[in-house]
Amino acid sequence: MSSTNLKIAIDGSAGSAAPYEQLRAQIAARARSGKLPAGFKLPTVRGLAEELGLAANTVAKAYRALEADGVIETRGRNGTFVAAAGEGAAREAASAAQAFAERVHRLGLTEAEAIAAATVALRARYAAK
């Protein structure tokens, strides 16, 4: 299944990631790379679902995740657009980092221990790609 507009391809084979996750990851990657520029209007949930042969709920779930990550923004009846690059993501990352710092401080970890824990987690996450 693929989308000609967004150049999205969904792999339906066994062992592949869930369709909503494939969709979320591909839109996020294209937005980060600039292939989908800030302000680009995305298809409606129903329209993209039909184009990809997916359930509307699958596309809606991907859009909700992308909006929570600050990658896209919904402007009511005007549609869904790629958000300004980095603004939402940077804000979200700063908030997560602050929460992490507060938590490790409460746990009594030293700064070096906290940095080591974060580094291990980041390396594991990015290696999984």
Side-chain angles (χ1 to χ4, degrees):
M1 297 172 274
S2 64
S3 162
T4 53
N5 243 4
L6 297 177
K7 303 205 182 341
I8 299 287
I10 303 298
D11 181 0
S13 64
S16 59
Y20 90 89
E21 177 56 26
Q22 292 181 53
L23 179 60
R24 184 210 59 77
Q26 290 180 56
I27 291 175
R30 283 176 177 69
R32 276 194 303 275
S33 72
K35 290 179 182 173
L36 290 178
F40 179 87
K41 186 173 183 178
L42 294 169
T44 64
V45 167
R46 288 182 194 270
L48 187 54
E50 286 177 17
E51 193 174 335
L52 293 172
L54 298 172
N57 285 340
T58 300
V59 175
K61 185 175 183 179
Y63 275 20
R64 282 191 304 272
L66 288 162
E67 190 161 24
D69 291 344
V71 175
I72 65 173
E73 59 188 9
T74 301
R75 300 179 190 162
R77 300 189 129 215
N78 292 323
T80 303
F81 299 83
V82 174
E87 291 176 12
R91 230 182 355 261
E92 180 90 15
S95 176
Q98 183 63 40
F100 172 77
E102 290 171 11
R103 179 76 187 266
V104 295
H105 181 71
R106 277 195 314 272
L107 292 171
L109 272 66
T110 66
E111 182 179 349
E113 291 169 328
I115 290 170
T119 300
V120 167
L122 286 166
R123 286 185 179 149
R125 175 63 186 111
Y126 283 95
K129 281 189 166 186

